[in-house]
Amino acid sequence: MDKLKDWYTECLNILSISDFDLVEWADKYRELSPESSSEIGKWDTKRTPYMMEPMRAISDKSIEEVVIMASAQVGKTELILNLIGYCIHQDPSPIMVVLPTEEIANAFSEDRLSTMIRDTEVLKGKVYEAKSRNSSNTKLHKGFEGGHITIVGANAPSSLASRPIKVLLCDEIDRYPVSAGKEGDPVTIVEKRTTTFFDRKIIKVSTPTLKDASKIEECYNKGSRGVWELPCPNCHEYQELNFEYLDIDTYEMYCTRCGSYASEHEWKSNSIKGRWYHNTPDAKIKSYNLNAFASPWVSWESIAKDYKRSKRAGDSQLQVFYNTVLGLPFEVKGDVGNAQKLYGLREDYIKIPDQVKVLTCGIDTQDNRLEYEIVGWADDDESWGIQKGVIVGNPSIGRVWEELYSILNTEYEKEDGTTLTISMSFIDSGGHYTDKVYEFASKMKRIFAIKGRNAINEGLIHPNPTFIKSYGIYLILLGVNNGKEHVLQMCDPDSTVFRAHFPRSEEYNLEYFNQLFSEKRVLKSVGGSTQYVWQSIRKRNEALDCRVYAYCALKFILPRWDNYKSIFVRQNSKKETARPIKRKRRRSIWDM
């Protein structure tokens, strides 16, 4: 079968069905429409020289699949339109264009495809006119002599599997649903429609999304992995236009060969001499990665400013920058962190630093012990580790709870001589001693039993706590995934929001920091989409749990911060005595 296919391909190359390749056709015939382009008029491939090789790869009968992983504003949708126009005029074929949703498919047909057919002279009259009793030309299905174009949304399984296709154009595949209804991966479904054609063409184009979850990244890595290079204005050696080499203050690009800097104008003046370097040139799939540095419509100054804004805004905006400007999948960092590095950053403080305004405590319940951490907090969630400890003993024993009571009611001295008491404590009620936790929480103020929830996209604190009638208390439900994300970002020394302090003490040893970074985020298919979830990378994680509970306790009291300032700072206050709280009504979550 493979030999027959090679023979058929060779015949097509010898007896070409077209007098033009795609580049020549577009330069001769294609017109850019005012509705979809800022530069109307004749298409000129020299305006985007990086498109020349991918377009010629599409014309090459020996290449079946072409993949383009690219930023926005580089002309990748125009490439798709060029190919559609070429097929209508030179190589009539059954064509399918797949977009993320039917709504986007309708917009593409109306705003991009119809206007190209209207303004490109050689296409006029080729596509059948719409008739009220003839379905050969509708918004999503256009017939022409020898072929047709079907435009579908990846969320419509019946449309994807409806008819055989020779030319398949998949646009923005990273925005496709994980499954088209119950049928499975949309790309896999629609690729099966091309198997009857020896000379099929499959084009996949998209900006990427998350690293290791990006479909276009996976397709790119299976191919030749091409990158666009320009010659250095000074030494003339070729180099990829890489964000790592950009000076974000002067907007000049560094040359790794000669060590010189040159301006955007100097680099782009050599664009016509640009070339594609393929890391695996013998791959059957031709794949290309393109960023906005090559685009004639995006300035390097705007790229630098966009990066600065995105970095200040955090990971969500930084992902947009990586995907749409750099054309790269975004990798979420700061999940695992560097335990050894944070251990080396410990500080010399014994008493509570003056900046600390409030103390909270997180308590983890185990079968043979209670583990806890007291954390001091200031503005913007800046934190100080105050005390990390273990109370050894089965939680069924009263002594364990007496010791915890003493810790929670101790006055902790600050450097300025004032004292703080713990304003709020959260204790884990999971495990085998739930009733003991409830009983303890019912006898004390400013402590709540909590239960962690691992649901995706769960808020930090569930707005509706569960009332435990037999103990007269509220059980607070926590979105621990959300809490872990915040805590590990703040504790990761490589994070842009790092603001955590730890004392140089025996309790804060290397084992503590290994436990703090005991989980990482991994990708998992959840509810029809690929998302990050937490996964343990070592057995013990009590330090992380305690820190998350202490952080959630802080966020629990912040809405009532002004009302409870008098509770937070107590100079020469008397210790609280433990006693059951007599209630004539349900205990409010704000009864502290």
Side-chain angles (χ1 to χ4, degrees), residues 205-253:
V205 178
S206 186
T207 52
T209 48
L210 290 171
K211 186 170 179 58
D212 299 326
S214 169
K215 296 176 184 176
I216 196 69
E217 179 195 23
E218 180 183 358
C219 296
Y220 172 79
N221 288 334
K222 289 179 179 178
S224 58
R225 297 186 296 128
V227 293
W228 178 247
E229 295 184 331
L230 289 181
C232 169
N234 297 305
C235 70
H236 309 297
E237 292 291 332
Y238 278 86
Q239 174 180 296
E240 178 186 358
L241 298 179
N242 194 309
F243 179 67
E244 293 181 5
Y245 308 143
L246 180 70
D247 187 316
I248 59 175
D249 295 316
T250 65
Y251 321 128
E252 294 181 325
M253 184 75 72

Side-chain angles (χ1 to χ4, degrees), residues 491-546:
C491 292
D492 186 346
D494 296 324
S495 170
T496 57
V497 294
F498 173 60
R499 42 181 175 268
H501 309 266
F502 298 91
R504 202 180 301 275
S505 66
E506 292 182 4
E507 293 80 11
Y508 288 92
N509 52 28
L510 187 57
E511 172 62 19
Y512 167 86
F513 293 104
N514 284 331
Q515 288 187 25
L516 188 63
F517 296 113
S518 60
E519 297 186 21
K520 67 176 181 178
R521 286 195 287 187
V522 297
L523 289 162
K524 186 177 180 181
S525 180
V526 179
S529 63
T530 303
Q531 301 179 21
Y532 278 101
V533 297
W534 292 95
Q535 183 180 80
S536 296
I537 56 176
R538 67 194 314 273
K539 187 174 182 179
R540 295 192 57 185
N541 67 343
E542 294 88 348
L544 175 59
D545 286 343
C546 288

Side-chain angles (χ1 to χ4, degrees), residues 14 20 25 41 66 145 178 224 246 259 314 357 360 390 471 572 580:
I14 296 172
F20 303 97
W25 182 90
V66 175
E145 188 173 350
V178 173
S224 58
L246 180 70
K357 296 181 178 180
T360 64
V390 179
Y471 290 94
N572 300 322

